[in-house]
Amino acid sequence: MKNNSLKGLIIALAFCLFSVSVYLLFLKKEDVFLLDNPTDSSIKVVLNNKKYLLGPGQTAEVSIQLGNNAISAKREDSVVLLKDTFFSIENNTRGLINPTLSNYYTFKRYYGYVKNRDSLYNSHQIDIEGKEYKGEIKKYNDLVLQGFSININQDYPKLKKKSDSLTGITKLFRKNQFVEYYETISE
């Protein structure tokens, strides 16, 4: 009898270790800082004395330090985008560095039950290249972007824990990503 109990305990522990391993290796999304190039040309970036070459549409995870940081960037045709620019980071858990100063958008997606949820989306709107988009959408073109829950390399969660209250999750998008995403949710 004791032998069967021991086997059961070992099997349960093995299953738990397997589950945690799968989560850590495949499912867990780290909160990182990204260096992004949403343009159609390559850029060379020097961030805190470390060099990066980002091709068109390429993203790289970078280490950022709290406090002061330095960046310079130029396009492949030697056009200077940023020269000896300094910026400060107060919270380095998640963010995006935008050396091209391109446009990015955040969109707040709501989870949970609320009466007239559509009125939340209809009460806010933004114009992007002559087309109206509804919802809590904000436009950014700053060097450092923070204050969102999901970065450009992550997706919204498929399911959210059932709740009787309304919660919202904000995701950062490149402009073209946002337009594509919005078209899929408005169909």
Side-chain angles (χ1 to χ4, degrees):
M1 196 77 161
K2 287 183 180 180
N3 199 13
N4 287 339
S5 296
L6 182 60
K7 286 180 184 178
L9 177 63
I10 291 172
I11 290 171
L13 287 174
F15 182 74
C16 287
L17 281 173
F18 175 76
S19 299
V20 169
S21 298
V22 167
Y23 172 75
L24 292 174
L25 292 173
F26 301 108
L27 301 176
K28 184 178 179 186
K29 298 277 186 173
E30 293 290 330
D31 286 335
V32 296
F33 255 84
L34 298 177
L35 180 63
D36 191 43
N37 176 18
T39 67
D40 293 332
S41 59
S42 295
I43 61 172
K44 295 176 184 177
V45 179
V46 178
L47 176 64
N48 295 330
N49 296 318
K50 188 169 180 187
K51 295 179 182 181
Y52 298 89
L53 176 63
L54 296 176
Q58 192 174 18
T59 301
E61 290 183 12
V62 293
S63 295
I64 228 51
Q65 57 195 33
L66 288 175
N68 295 327
N69 295 271
I71 188 170
S72 295
K74 63 181 176 179
R75 286 194 325 224
E76 63 187 338
D77 59 4
S78 298
V79 171
V80 175
L81 301 170
L82 299 170
K83 184 173 181 174
D84 300 329
T85 303
F86 297 93
F87 61 95
S88 183
I89 298 292
E90 303 301 321
N91 175 357
N92 67 348
T93 56
R94 177 187 315 109
L96 183 127
I97 299 173
N98 178 14
T100 62
L101 304 179
S102 298
N103 292 334
Y104 288 82
Y105 295 86
T106 57
F107 180 75
K108 190 171 198 175
R109 181 172 168 182
Y110 292 102
Y111 294 88
Y113 173 76
V114 68
K115 223 176 186 184
N116 299 323
R117 181 191 306 211
D118 290 341
S119 66
L120 291 171
Y121 291 108
N122 291 331
S123 64
H124 299 77
Q125 55 207 16
I126 189 171
D127 182 273
I128 301 174
E129 295 181 352
K131 186 174 178 186
E132 184 178 278
Y133 294 83
K134 295 182 180 191
E136 282 192 53
I137 304 162
K138 294 181 182 170
K139 176 182 172 182
Y140 300 92
N141 58 6
D142 303 324
L143 174 59
V144 178
L145 306 174
Q146 289 187 280
F148 49 85
S149 301
I150 303 172
N151 215 326
I152 63 169
N153 64 338
Q154 300 170 316
D155 295 323
Y156 277 112
K158 301 285 185 222
L159 298 172
K160 183 81 170 130
K161 186 176 160 185
K162 187 175 179 179
S163 173
D164 291 334
S165 63
L166 184 69
T167 59
I169 297 178
T170 304
K171 176 174 172 28
L172 181 68
F173 293 90
R174 291 176 176 167
K175 183 179 87 170
N176 61 337
Q177 285 178 323
F178 173 70
V179 170
E180 289 172 15
Y181 172 77
Y182 191 88
E183 288 174 2
T184 63
I185 63 168
S186 62
E187 292 176 345

